[in-house]
Amino acid sequence: DEVTVIALVERLNTTGAALAEFSVNTETQNGAWRLGNLTSGSADAMQSRGTALQSATRVPQSPMTRRYVSTGQANISADLVTLQTNNETPGTQTGDQGSGNYGTHPLYLFSRGGTTLRFSGRCYALLAINRLLTKQEVALVKADFAQRGGLIL
């Protein structure tokens, strides 16, 4: 019931995209998660759902067409969803995600269910792992991704 997703992205579109989604639709399917941006507005989002959906959002301070590292973490049983862009202050949601674990769904990259919410941009690196990485592990991955993307965090 835990996940960490870290991505080095350059986004060209500011709304309605799924970078990585563990289900056909996180908003309606239990035991799912999604890293992407919201269907309205310019906020990035990490969404997690046991039997209830929660979203942590951040509006990156850097322009949307620039590269950045997006880090999402979620834990269903601890009712925790976080999203951080580069080293900015993370967005955190501690609302009830219901119960259960992440399911046995397919992992969709760059679109929702392979059909909608197409990601417009480039993904230079992506890590998705079924546990919460420690702060030190997250820092190492982010530093590696930043170096690959020519970023200074």
Side-chain angles (χ1 to χ4, degrees), residues 13-115:
N13 185 357
T14 59
T15 59
L19 179 63
E21 186 162 23
F22 187 61
S23 81
V24 172
N25 186 335
T26 301
E27 294 170 6
T28 60
Q29 194 167 23
N30 291 341
W33 58 262
R34 175 172 82 104
L35 177 66
N37 59 316
L38 298 177
T39 54
S40 61
S42 60
D44 281 355
M46 177 67 184
Q47 296 180 308
S48 179
R49 180 184 182 96
T51 54
L53 180 67
Q54 294 297 330
S55 301
T57 60
R58 290 290 302 146
V59 176
Q61 294 174 3
S62 56
M64 285 291 116
T65 56
R66 303 192 65 186
R67 292 181 192 160
Y68 59 96
V69 177
S70 188
T71 304
Q73 292 190 300
N75 184 327
I76 293 173
S77 62
D79 291 328
L80 176 69
V81 184
T82 64
L83 178 67
Q84 185 176 36
T85 302
N86 292 332
N87 284 334
E88 297 171 6
T89 303
T92 301
Q93 176 59 256
T94 57
D96 185 17
Q97 296 178 52
S99 59
N101 295 310
Y102 293 116
T104 56
H105 311 297
L107 175 62
Y108 292 95
L109 299 177
F110 317 121
S111 68
R112 168 168 280 168
T115 60

